[in-house]
Amino acid sequence: MRYNPFTHHRFLTNAVIALFVIAFLLSAQAGELKPFADIAWLDILGEGGIVLMTLTWIAALLISRPPGKVTSFLVLGLGLFMFSASLDLFDEWLHQPTNTWLTWIESLPAPIGMIFTSLGLYQWHQEQYVLNRQLKRREAQHREHELVCSITGLYKADYLQDVLKEQLSEPQPLQLAAIDIRGFADFNAEFGFIEGDRLLGEVSELLLMNCRLSDVVCRYAGDCFMVLMPNTSAVQAKELVAQITSALSHCAFKVEGEKHAKFQDVTAALVGSMQGDTPQSLSSRLHAKLQQQKQQRVSHCEAVS
C-alpha cells in the first residue's frame, strides 16, 4: 500500500518542509551572497547531494510506511539531519558572519536527528521481528517480494515452483492441496472487481489462519490457491484441507451495499508426492485432480436437478 504524504502524514510532511524553509531563511538573513568566483562548486555538489538524498529517503518513508511511532522517529530524525545539511549547503552560497548562535543551530540538529533515527531503527527492528513471525506461513523462510501478489499478499505460482523443487529434494512426505473458489467470475460480474479483490484478500487471511506455520500458502491463479504441506502424511493433509474448506464455506463475506452476506462454494483437491516427482509433475497431477473434482460436482448438480 502507498500512502499520500499530504494526507496520511500531514504533520511530518509540513515539519520537513518547515525545516528546509527555516534553514534557507536563517542563512539568507544572516549571510551575504558570495561572488561567483568564490563559490566552491564541488562542495555544493557534495553537500547538495546529501540534502537531496536525505529528502529522497524521507519521501520514500512517507510514501511506503503507515503513520506511527516508527515513521515519526525516522522522518523527524532524517529531517533534523537534513536541516543541518541544508545550512551547510547554503553556507557555500553565502558569506556567514561569526555568530555563535548560528553555529549552534547548524551543529546541534544533526546529532539530535541521529538519536531520533537510531530510536526509529530500534523500533523498526522490533516491528520487523513481529512481522517476520507473521510471515513464516507466507514465506517458508524465503523472501522474494517481486513474486508477491499485491492483492492477497501471498506468493505467486513461480515462487511455489521454487519451493516445491527445494522440498522435493528432501526425504519427507509432501502434500500439495488446491483450493478453488467456485463462481468467482460471476461474483466479479455482479459486484465488481473491487469487491472481488477484497474477497480474495479475506480468503487469503482465512487460509493463513487455518494453516500451520510450516505450510506455504500461494495464490496459484485468479481464484485458485495452493497449500504446500511439508513433512505431512496423507491423513493429516486430508484433515487440514477439510478444516480449510469448512472455514471458507462458513465465512460470511459482507458485500458493500448488500443486506445479506455471501457464502463461498469451495472445491478442493489433494495429492501427495511420489518418488521421482518434479514440481511440474506434482502440479499437473493436482490440476488434473482439481478439474476432476469440479466435473464430478457439476455432474452431481445436474443429476440432482
Side-chain angles (χ1 to χ4, degrees), residues 36-260:
F36 187 81
D38 292 343
I39 296 176
W41 295 102
L42 187 60
D43 290 344
I44 288 176
L45 182 64
E47 292 173 6
I50 292 173
V51 173
L52 182 61
M53 289 305 301
T54 307
L55 287 171
T56 303
W57 296 341
I58 292 172
L61 283 169
L62 294 174
I63 291 171
S64 60
R65 284 197 55 84
K69 183 164 54 177
V70 174
T71 306
S72 298
F73 274 131
L74 291 174
V75 171
L76 289 177
L78 288 173
L80 289 170
F81 180 80
M82 179 273 301
F83 177 78
S84 291
S86 298
L87 288 174
D88 286 340
L89 173 62
F90 296 137
D91 282 351
E92 300 300 329
W93 298 86
L94 302 165
H95 281 298
Q96 301 290 352
T98 305
N99 288 328
T100 305
W101 63 270
L102 188 60
T103 303
W104 278 94
I105 290 176
E106 184 175 326
S107 302
L108 273 181
I112 295 174
M114 297 303 289
I115 293 173
F116 271 69
T117 304
S118 299
L119 289 172
L121 288 172
Y122 174 74
Q123 294 292 332
W124 197 357
H125 164 74
Q126 298 294 101
E127 178 187 87
Q128 286 300 122
Y129 174 75
V130 174
L131 290 175
N132 287 341
R133 292 184 63 185
Q134 294 178 345
L135 288 171
K136 280 186 178 179
R137 295 182 182 182
R138 302 174 187 257
E139 296 183 334
Q141 310 301 327
H142 297 263
R143 186 159 293 182
E144 299 291 343
H145 291 294
E146 67 273 12
L147 299 177
V148 171
C149 168
S150 59
I151 295 172
T152 63
L154 301 176
Y155 277 100
K156 303 176 185 177
D158 291 342
Y159 173 82
L160 179 64
Q161 297 300 311
D162 292 339
V163 178
L164 269 175
K165 183 178 180 180
E166 179 180 320
Q167 293 292 335
L168 285 170
S169 64
E170 301 290 335
Q172 59 170 332
L174 183 71
Q175 308 295 324
L176 184 64
I179 312 293
D180 184 80
I181 309 301
R182 300 188 65 214
F184 182 69
D186 295 333
F187 182 94
N188 269 338
E190 183 176 358
F191 301 109
F193 289 103
I194 294 177
E195 287 298 304
D197 289 349
R198 194 165 69 86
L199 173 61
L200 290 176
E202 296 292 335
V203 168
S204 302
E205 293 301 324
L206 269 177
L207 283 170
L208 291 171
M209 288 172 59
N210 286 276
C211 288
R212 305 165 301 177
L213 288 175
S214 58
D215 299 333
V216 183
V217 185
C218 295
R219 184 188 180 191
Y220 191 74
D223 56 357
C224 182
F225 299 84
M226 286 196 179
V227 181
L228 175 63
M229 293 169 275
N231 198 25
T232 305
S233 67
V235 174
Q236 290 175 313
K238 286 179 182 179
E239 183 179 352
L240 286 169
V241 171
Q243 292 169 355
I244 290 170
T245 54
S246 177
L248 292 175
S249 299
H250 289 87
C251 174
F253 182 76
K254 310 297 192 301
V255 178
E256 188 71 26
E258 291 289 316
K259 294 182 179 179
H260 303 291

Side-chain angles (χ1 to χ4, degrees), residues 2-67:
R2 295 185 182 276
Y3 298 88
N4 188 325
F6 296 98
T7 55
H8 295 96
H9 302 288
R10 186 176 301 170
F11 169 76
L12 292 175
T13 302
N14 290 336
V16 171
I17 295 173
L19 285 170
F20 186 81
V21 172
I22 291 170
F24 174 77
L25 292 177
L26 285 174
S27 298
Q29 181 185 18
E32 297 179 357
L33 192 64
K34 290 181 179 180
F36 187 81
D38 292 343
I39 296 176
W41 295 102
L42 187 60
D43 290 344
I44 288 176
L45 182 64
E47 292 173 6
I50 292 173
V51 173
L52 182 61
M53 289 305 301
T54 307
L55 287 171
T56 303
W57 296 341
I58 292 172
L61 283 169
L62 294 174
I63 291 171
S64 60
R65 284 197 55 84

